[in-house]
Amino acid sequence: MVLWMVGYASQGNWFKIAQRGLINGTIQEGMWGQKILGGENWDGTPELWTDTIPPALKPGNYLIRHEIIALHITNKPQWNLQCAHLTVTGNGTQSPEKAYLAKVPEVYSMDREPEINIDVYAPGVAISTVYNIPGPPVWNGEKVKMDRLVNGFKGSKGQEDQIDLVP
């Protein structure tokens, strides 16, 4: 599950404010974020996901997008999403840096393995205890130092940029 936001004047540059993926266990039989919302006897009935918009976010008009990426059909992900308009108020002064931005839906490329084009029933995948949610890291309003290569966040295979954000 991913919670994205985009400012009206941002030219379509979305940023994540929260995400929940594989919490524990294996990809095939583990505890995933959406099950936690519904409890142990979850029957698929919609539940509330409460999260906080980073207080540092500058005021303005935004879209917010909640999505669940269903991976239960081999190599055919399904996006279940809801969007809403909202106005952010407060004293925030920040916007996410480039390392936190992505174009949606371009961030989701079938060329990405194993995040999107995945067979959760394949023996090597089913027993894995790691699932990396696609896209950039979650922005919480704080400046952080990131020492890693970013590859393909905008669906462009083969491009690499060194990201080094310092306070």
Side-chain angles (χ1 to χ4, degrees), residues 29-105:
E29 296 181 13
M31 174 73 74
W32 289 81
Q34 64 268 31
K35 187 170 183 182
I36 287 177
L37 290 177
E40 284 299 314
N41 298 316
W42 185 57
D43 63 0
T45 304
E47 295 286 336
L48 296 178
W49 175 9
T50 303
D51 228 304
T52 303
I53 294 171
L57 184 63
K58 70 179 181 180
N61 293 316
Y62 292 84
L63 287 175
I64 192 164
R65 171 185 168 120
H66 170 268
E67 64 186 20
I68 296 175
I69 305 170
L71 302 172
H72 61 283
I73 299 176
T74 300
N75 306 110
K76 294 184 180 183
Q78 298 174 7
W79 283 265
N80 302 290
L81 57 105
Q82 294 288 321
C83 293
H85 299 270
L86 67 124
T87 300
V88 172
T89 60
N91 299 320
T93 59
Q94 297 182 26
S95 295
E97 296 91 356
K98 180 181 176 183
Y100 296 98
L101 303 177
K103 300 285 186 189
V104 174

Side-chain angles (χ1 to χ4, degrees), residues 22 24-32 35 120 126-128:
L22 182 60
N24 59 49
T26 65
I27 285 181
Q28 187 174 3
E29 296 181 13
M31 174 73 74
W32 289 81
K35 187 170 183 182
V120 298
I127 61 170
S128 177

Side-chain angles (χ1 to χ4, degrees), residues 134-146:
V138 170
W139 183 72
N140 64 8
E142 298 176 10
K143 292 185 182 259
V144 296
K145 181 176 172 69
M146 297 173 57

Side-chain angles (χ1 to χ4, degrees), residues 108-150:
Y108 299 122
S109 170
M110 289 299 283
D111 293 337
R112 294 182 65 99
E113 288 286 349
E115 292 90 357
I116 295 298
N117 194 12
I118 186 172
D119 177 357
V120 298
Y121 308 105
V125 174
I127 61 170
S128 177
T129 57
V130 176
Y131 177 79
N132 296 313
I133 297 173
V138 170
W139 183 72
N140 64 8
E142 298 176 10
K143 292 185 182 259
V144 296
K145 181 176 172 69
M146 297 173 57
D147 291 318
R148 64 185 185 86
L149 292 177
V150 176

